[in-house]
Amino acid sequence: MSLTLCNFFGLRISKRNKSLRLFTIDPEPSDAAWPKWVAYGIAGTAAAAYLYSGDYIEKMTREIEGIKKRTLGPSGFVYELVATENRDYPNLNTGGSTKLKIGDVWKYGQTTKTNRYSEKWLETNGLRMRPLPPGGNQMEILIQEKYYIYGYYFLHGERPPGNPIFR
């Protein structure tokens, strides 16, 4: 079985012989945009993880295809909640806690509202909300959120502590 992760990324993954092939694509003006290179990094990590960690790429692809069938929805953005203190934070995946350092990601999310969390709630929980580019309509940000959560999983072997599901 061969799975093409995405023609946009120029990667082809073959599960049959556990190989990863890069095929060439013509440069385009968006090649200078840093979000595209972030996507390349996530795709490369995802491709490597797929070869060694089960069928999560297929699961992610199925979920994204389902999102694409939805209506576009209102504009919004993806965000990350990061630790503002070196301490234990709740781990919603295990029911326990996880030691985070300042700047470590606790959760990825998406919202169409600028006031998703109150300043008081963020301060009480030792978190800061950082919007992540580029944003877009609801369908686009749901897909972006999924890439961030899966990308984190492929790098760390687990979801962010504040994301109990892949969403």
Side-chain angles (χ1 to χ4, degrees):
M1 175 189 125
S2 233
L3 169 70
T4 300
L5 180 59
C6 185
N7 288 337
F8 173 79
F9 298 123
L11 293 172
R12 184 174 304 280
I13 304 167
S14 174
K15 189 173 180 184
R16 184 179 321 126
N17 58 7
K18 292 220 178 223
S19 66
L20 175 66
R21 295 186 190 102
L22 183 65
F23 57 93
T24 61
I25 54 177
D26 295 327
E28 56 182 276
S30 67
D31 284 343
W34 71 265
K36 184 173 182 177
W37 293 105
V38 169
Y40 283 157
I42 291 171
T45 301
Y50 173 72
L51 296 174
Y52 302 105
S53 69
D55 293 325
Y56 284 103
I57 296 295
E58 289 177 16
K59 180 180 182 299
M60 180 179 71
T61 303
R62 277 193 318 273
E63 291 169 352
I64 289 172
E65 289 305 314
I67 292 170
K68 287 179 179 178
K69 293 177 184 171
R70 300 179 187 176
T71 60
L72 298 179
S75 293
F77 61 93
V78 177
Y79 63 86
E80 60 184 3
L81 295 181
V82 296
T84 59
E85 306 168 20
N86 295 324
R87 67 174 177 88
D88 286 336
Y89 285 81
N91 187 327
L92 304 181
N93 296 299
T94 64
S97 62
T98 299
K99 187 112 179 128
L100 295 179
K101 296 178 186 168
I102 294 172
D104 285 351
V105 173
W106 183 72
K107 176 184 180 176
Y108 289 110
Q110 55 81 26
T111 185
T112 58
K113 300 175 182 176
T114 55
N115 59 347
R116 173 75 171 90
Y117 300 98
S118 71
E119 287 299 319
K120 182 178 181 180
W121 185 89
L122 290 167
E123 187 177 316
T124 300
N125 289 285
L127 297 166
R128 186 173 88 231
M129 183 175 171
R130 289 197 304 211
L132 299 169
N137 62 51
Q138 194 168 29
M139 180 185 68
E140 292 168 332
I141 62 174
L142 284 168
I143 292 169
Q144 292 167 23
E145 176 192 31
K146 196 159 291 290
Y147 278 128
Y148 278 109
I149 295 170
Y150 274 94
Y152 185 100
Y153 176 82
F154 292 136
L155 287 173
H156 301 280
E158 59 190 9
R159 290 181 304 273
N163 290 106
I165 59 174
F166 282 107
R167 180 125 155 86

